[in-house]
Amino acid sequence: MKFSGLQKTSLLDYPDKVASVLFAPGCNLHCAYCHNWEIATNPQPPFLQEATILEILEERKKYVDAIVITGGEPCMHKELPKFLAKLKDRGFFVKLDTNGFYPDVLGVCLNIVDYVALDIKTCLEKYEQLGAQDTNNLQKSIEILKEDKVPYEFRTTIVPELVTLQNIEQICKLSEGSKIHALQQFMPENAPDKHYQKLQRYAPEVIDEFANKLSKYTEKVILRI
Ligand code: SF4
């Protein structure tokens, strides 16, 4: 498997662990606020090849407990489960970030990884704005994670216009019965679409209102704002 980038150290991407982060190229969605849009929509060489990555990670083992696979959308790559197994064989904790549109690959990965973060980006109807015509696969992935085979979180980046007070009601229903749901602040400065660059982030009191609603459906709400 090849990757578009490697962040050697992160204290934010794996709960309570020091992690390295790998960025998989390409994505099936086209979110106008994507902060990794260059690698998501138009990944360009040079790519980091698997052998090189494994060599680097082996060297960093004394500093890093965990590897986070993010993107882009890692589950687009059919060779992902094999690569994750190689990371586990080397003794790392492994976390997978996904947008949920590849439930079959996700299902295989659940036998390997230690933690999954799945994005619930907006209500189902608005996924069309992100480039998805059909959300059945997303709904399948949500249900697979709720089976609790592996610790997981749902996450929602609270992008104004995409996540309104009305939309949060449906997001709550999708999340119903989940263990953890994280609300993340939107970063307008990195958005590829100028319209989104100009949007004002939600104020803390609005985010609190979202969190209050969500807390009735999930066991724990985490705020990353
Ligand atoms: S799913 Fe994630 S990586 Fe893909 S376009 Fe949306 S924000 Fe970017």
Side-chain angles (χ1 to χ4, degrees), residues 27 29-31 33-37 40 71-73 99 119 121:
C27 188
L29 298 183
H30 307 286
C31 307
Y33 61 90
C34 177
H35 61 279
N36 285 336
W37 58 274
E73 174 47 47
N99 63 27
D119 294 331
K121 293 176 180 295

Side-chain angles (χ1 to χ4, degrees), residues 186 188-199:
F186 160 58
E189 56 278 8
N190 296 329
D193 183 319
K194 286 205 166 44
H195 173 71
Y196 281 84
Q197 286 173 10
K198 287 179 198 144
L199 288 184

